[in-house]
Amino acid sequence: MNHELRKPGTGQVKLKPGDTVGILGGGQLGRMLAMAAARLGLKCQVFSPDPDSPAFDVVLHATCAEYADVEALELFANDVDVITYEFENVPAATATVLAARRPVLPAQTILETTQDRLIEKDFVKRLGIGTADYADVSSMASLRAAIVRIGLPAVIKTRRFGYDGKGQAIIREGDDPARVWEDLGTKSAILEAFVPFEREISVIAARGADGEVECYDVTENEHRDHILKISRAPAAIPDDLAAQARSIAEKIANALNYVGVLAVEMFVVPGSGRHQVLVNEIAPRVHNSGHWTLDGASISQFEQHIRAIAGWPLGKPLRHGLVTMTNLIGDDIDSYEQWLTVPGATVHLYGKGLPRPGRKMGHVTQVTAMPPKTG
């Protein structure tokens, strides 16, 4: 263990091979982070309340305890040199306990921005970056007022704890807003104008503590039942629009004083004469739409994240060709043997238990050569 690392919360971390990274969360993202760290000679310890966490399978030491278990958190912190997380809904009390003992990266303050959709939207808007029109909704009366201002169709989302389409609903003309409000079951929501987007894209960006930022090529994403199904890199958008998207991600990473990898999800919207990019959400972690980087780039998002939180130089991500990532969701996992026979395909299985509808069981990346440039 690196006993020189004793400045919690400063972000000034410099690990050396043999040091230990603590990961909050034991899902597939934690699993792939631990595997990337191992290749760099770093050890990992995973903290998760789920005894069946797939990340437990790839680390020597793991803590299976609730995030509210202060004693377990303290013991975990004592055994690691820096702490990161694979999901953004880390309880505030958990982050506070850990940050008092070890550096937590990305910083706890970033979670306060990204865990709340309204605070996040306000943050993006203050940066002068476009988003869908939105309104704070805390009652039936405020929902009706928001609908009058924003119009229908619109999307209502809980301000906290929503992912993969959970905690949100579309309100269309003729719908009963009171029924939708009751079904959502919250007193804290945000109403967003429905965006008639042409395509969904994301940018995976990494930022080091020294302010260096590296962005991957813009990724085009296709969702089914609100869950990412296919990512393609590069996105089929003009170069100037791709440059704008990367610039937005870099601006957000710098404004947050971010350390690690984050994803910025965006919409490409047709405009008068030209397209524009609107930010949808920020994910302060490695992201499903960046899985293509495992086999399709010179450095994966997972290694890039580990480098950033370790205080090591970031890599320059070079894409190997045209890359497609396909999520294996639920019973899709049954087709893994067929994928093993596809030339240019690499199969990643997460070691989870029984497949369930909507459960991400693995993914496949396919890399093909870039067509030669003509003219």
Side-chain angles (χ1 to χ4, degrees):
M1 181 171 296
N2 189 346
H3 295 286
E4 295 176 1
L5 257 177
R6 290 289 182 262
K7 293 184 179 179
T10 65
Q12 298 172 356
V13 175
K14 186 69 172 178
L15 300 190
K16 62 182 185 302
D19 286 340
T20 302
V21 175
I23 301 172
L24 292 178
Q28 65 266 20
L29 299 180
R31 179 186 177 101
M32 289 183 274
L33 281 170
M35 292 166 72
R39 198 170 67 78
L40 297 175
L42 294 166
K43 300 173 184 176
C44 283
Q45 188 165 157
V46 172
F47 189 110
S48 172
D50 180 3
D52 296 323
S53 294
F56 286 173
D57 295 341
V58 300
V59 296
L60 186 60
H61 299 292
T63 301
C64 187
E66 296 298 324
Y67 291 119
D69 188 333
V70 174
E71 183 179 2
L73 291 171
E74 290 176 340
L75 291 171
F76 170 73
N78 288 339
D79 283 344
V80 304
D81 296 298
V82 66
I83 297 167
T84 191
Y85 40 87
E86 63 135 32
F87 70 111
E88 57 266 56
N89 291 321
V90 176
T94 300
T96 299
V97 169
L98 294 173
R101 288 157 179 80
R102 288 292 182 272
V104 176
L105 298 172
Q108 175 188 353
T109 53
I110 291 168
L111 295 177
E112 295 168 6
T113 298
T114 58
Q115 283 182 348
D116 186 307
R117 285 190 168 102
L118 179 63
I119 294 173
E120 180 179 287
K121 280 283 195 296
D122 288 344
F123 164 76
V124 172
K125 188 177 180 180
R126 284 196 303 272
L127 294 178
I129 297 170
T131 71
D133 196 11
Y134 63 94
D136 183 14
V137 175
S138 57
S139 65
M140 190 58 240
S142 61
L143 174 57
R144 293 190 187 281
I147 289 173
V148 169
R149 182 170 74 78
I150 290 176
L152 294 179
V155 183
I156 188 167
K157 302 177 180 179
T158 56
R159 283 176 56 173
R160 301 171 68 87
F161 306 125
Y163 66 97
D164 286 348
K166 297 178 176 66
Q168 61 180 268
I170 297 177
I171 306 177
R172 298 180 173 87
E173 292 287 354
D175 288 345
D176 180 2
R179 171 73 61 85
V180 175
W181 178 246
E182 184 178 338
D183 289 346
L184 200 64
T186 183
K187 298 295 184 186
S188 183
I190 181 173
L191 187 75
E192 298 179 5
F194 186 82
V195 177
F197 60 85
E198 185 176 279
R199 62 191 76 228
E200 293 177 274
I201 61 172
S202 59
V203 175
I204 305 296
R207 184 179 184 276
D210 60 357
E212 178 190 5
V213 178
E214 292 288 353
C215 291
Y216 288 83
D217 286 328
V218 181
T219 306
E220 187 167 332
N221 301 309
E222 180 183 319
H223 291 78
R224 296 180 191 170
D225 299 323
H226 302 288
I227 301 173
L228 180 64
K229 180 59 181 176
I230 297 173
S231 290
R232 297 181 179 90
I237 59 176
D239 290 345
D240 62 333
L241 205 62
Q244 181 186 341
R246 289 194 298 270
S247 176
I248 286 171
E250 183 170 350
K251 189 172 187 178
I252 287 172
N254 284 326
L256 289 170
N257 197 24
Y258 198 88
V259 178
V261 163
L262 82 164
V264 183
E265 300 175 24
M266 310 179 204
F267 298 122
V268 176
V269 184
S272 52
R274 59 177 296 173
H275 288 69
Q276 62 174 327
V277 173
L278 300 179
V279 167
N280 180 27
E281 290 185 356
I282 302 167
R285 54 174 171 79
V286 288
H287 193 256
N288 197 172
S289 69
H291 287 0
W292 67 266
T293 65
L294 273 165
D295 307 294
S298 55
I299 181 170
S300 75
Q301 64 166 342
F302 302 99
E303 179 177 335
Q304 200 79 292
H305 184 80
I306 295 296
R307 287 194 191 199
I309 65 171
W312 294 6
L314 299 179
K316 177 69 68 174
L318 305 176
R319 186 168 40 80
H320 294 322
L322 299 174
V323 192
T324 301
M325 188 283 301
T326 303
N327 265 339
L328 302 180
I329 302 168
D331 290 339
D332 291 345
I333 190 68
D334 296 337
S335 66
Y336 77 93
E337 283 195 74
Q338 294 165 300
W339 280 109
L340 291 172
T341 66
V342 176
T346 305
V347 178
H348 298 262
L349 304 181
Y350 302 152
K352 293 185 176 180
L354 295 174
R356 297 192 302 266
R359 191 180 197 191
K360 296 169 185 170
M361 303 297 294
H363 73 267
V364 179
T365 49
Q366 296 169 274
V367 183
T368 58
M370 290 284 289
K373 290 187 176 181
T374 57

